[in-house]
Amino acid sequence: MAQSQVPVGASGADEAHISAHWKEEEYYDPPKQFVEQANLNDPRVAEKFGEKNFPKCYEEYADMLTWFERWHTVLDSSEPPFWKWFVGGKLNVCYNCVDRHLAKYKNKAALIFVPEPEEDSIVAITYQELYNRVNEVAAMLREFAGLKAGDRVTIHMPMIPELPITMLACARLGVVHSVVFGGFSGEACGLRAADSGSKVLIYADSYYRSGKLIDHKMLSEIAVQTAEREGQAIEKVLIWRRFPGKFNSASPMVQGRDYFVDEALKMFRGRKIDPVHMDSLAPLFLMYTSGTTGKPKGCQHSSGGYLAYAAGTSRYIQDIHPTDVYWCMADIGWITGHSYIVYGPLALAATSVIFEGVPNFPDAGRPWRIAERLDVNIFHTSPTAVRMLRKAGPDEPKKYHYHFKHMTTVGEPIEPEVWRWYYSEVGKREAVIVDTWWQTETGGFLCSTKPALDPMKPGSAGPGVPGIYPVILDEMAKEIPAGAGRAGNICIRNPWPGIMQTIWGDPQRFVRQYYQKYCKNPESKDWRDWPYFAGDGALLAKDGYFRILGRVDDVINVAGHRLGTKEIESACLTVAEVAEAAVVPVVDEIKGRMPEVYIALKPGTSTPPGEVRDKVVHTIETMIGKIARPKTVRIVPDMPKTRSGKIMRRVLAAISNNMNTGDITTLANPDIVEQIRVAVQGEGPVATREGPEDVKTFGSVE
Ligand code: WTA
């Protein structure tokens, strides 16, 4: 590392001292039967992907793809931080995920769709049938909707196979898709459509969620109005019907604008469309994500670099073989679904399961029944889902005869306590676990253990994955060494093929947000001067494992002493009665901020509330110290959650600080917010005042 450019004594020096009170957890070795069959079991990988071989090492990932023309330059870094991978190469992403598998696997399931109603039949779509359907949709998009390479299209759909089919059809034509998570509002969709300049919206009329058929087409009306208000005219809205021929929405079809896809497709039966030869650098998709402030930003991902990275990490970290039945329970509307339900697994000719419903409906045994029925052997989910399933049905997994060889956790730090339940109960001590840390911006995994090569350590993501060189920097841009016991900002020293290309329409924001903070010399053409700032706090242990503490805005500064909220939450979860915990900063006259703890109890708990509160306080004090003593411990019936399952700490922070909770309409359970608010703030009128910035933005992950 070059030395810091920031003068010593600049303001913020003390800010670097995020105290860390994690205790070191025990190691678990990968099961022998996993190691024997693993894709990546050669310990020389560290050297192969070492800095001496960078960036050439990534040719191995690009070689997993089929190119129409080979690249001439692996990495062009002449215009930092706009990295260009596999320059000169031409490929088609759809061809790589579908066509090229036909010779060997045409009769094998590409997608298995599990509808939410348990009595409905499961549908397997073979690679041959995926090829047929993608071609027909591509023909329709080109000839009926008038889309061509480079155009953007906004897709607002739930978890049905027509979603990946539509995405692949776009990729076949070189049309840039922007998928908006189905749980977002029409307004959110409209804003994104306007930002991307989409003239066509693609919707589904309805879908099942928690036992109800939800009217989704209704949202398209608001989306169109919102986009138009923003100056973007929508020419066509294409509606997939959940049941072809049967329209399930109260929202009327607008003549000359709204069309049923199943009807439009009739003109294109059996049509085949040549995959367009796209430049490696051509954008494949946009994915909007929230920063801590400002409007959502469209992360633009490339065709060649992105797909190579998704395929490479799927093979080595997810350990996907074509014979595996792989189930990632995320939603395709998030980056996890793009990279690790659709593009990565299909590039490797895997069988990828798509589940329409929620994990705990009709009961917490549903995921395990699906796993048993389909003989799933790779399972991928989030800590929130694990916590939810642990709370609702701690003994459910053992009732079902499935066997996972591999499990993933992603999206948030996982508390060691929860990790151990995942390992012993869900994985039955037979499965290896990877805790993969990454972001919408990064296209694929950044930190994780290599499943057959590195021991697991609960609560730690692990080292950088092959070819990724992470580092922890303090506010002075000084490296915090391994084992220092201090946290800082985790950065990646080098570019990698999956990194986003830019923020759509706002390259300056891209530079500002991710590179400005630690750029050593804005004139430099050397990638070593451009570390990527991820926006997460992390700790590097002596063994080289990174432990992610959460967004840097999830840190509570108590009396000038920083505490990771995740540490406190993790402590709470070791209390036997506690099922879920969320910690938020509450303004304190003397100490600045103090942590406030929200907990949800396991069902059937009979311990009196006062006793549970005392136990929680005592545990925090013993595991972390008096400095972390919460101002209040509040017991709530449930946590406010996004539809993707993340606990909305921002909403809790607002309630704790007597502030307005803001827009909560996109939450999975908005009613709970009012219940908690009344319990905390009393029956009085809803607060309207604004709070300090750190409380407002606290934990504002969508
Ligand atoms: C957090 C999701 C701890 C982190 C793929 C990051 C994690 C944000 C982990 C990105 C993990 C993701 N351990 N924290 N294994 N994975 N995060 O863009 O704070 O939805 O910055 O991408 O999730 O969320 P995003």
Side-chain angles (χ1 to χ4, degrees), residues 289-290 334-336 383 409-414 434-442 445 447 459-461 534-537 547-552 554 646 701-702:
T289 187
S290 304
W334 304 111
I335 192 70
T336 300
T409 158
V410 66
E412 328 152 57
I414 186 163
V434 291
D435 178 345
T436 57
W437 170 72
W438 61 297
Q439 310 174 306
T440 302
E441 293 88 340
T442 72
F445 304 144
C447 282
S460 290
D536 276 319
R547 186 161 201 162
I548 308 298
L549 301 173
R551 303 291 308 183
V552 282
D554 282 5
K646 287 194 180 174
V701 270
E702 281 174 349

Side-chain angles (χ1 to χ4, degrees), residues 27 53 104 228 392 441 452 471 514 593 622 681:
Y27 292 107
N53 293 326
K104 235 168 134 181
E228 291 185 347
E441 293 88 340
V471 62
Y514 304 105
R593 304 281 181 274
T622 353
Q681 299 178 350

Side-chain angles (χ1 to χ4, degrees), residues 32 46 77 119 153 204 346 401 503 520 524 526 598-599 633:
K32 192 163 157 283
S77 56
E119 59 282 6
V153 59
L346 295 184
H401 300 286
I503 292 175
K520 292 170 202 147
S524 171
D526 185 344
Y598 285 84
I599 51 175
V633 178

Side-chain angles (χ1 to χ4, degrees), residues 97-113:
C97 292
V98 185
D99 305 39
R100 69 170 176 150
H101 302 318
L102 295 180
K104 235 168 134 181
Y105 300 114
K106 67 171 176 242
N107 223 2
K108 173 191 138 78
L111 302 172
I112 299 184
F113 173 56

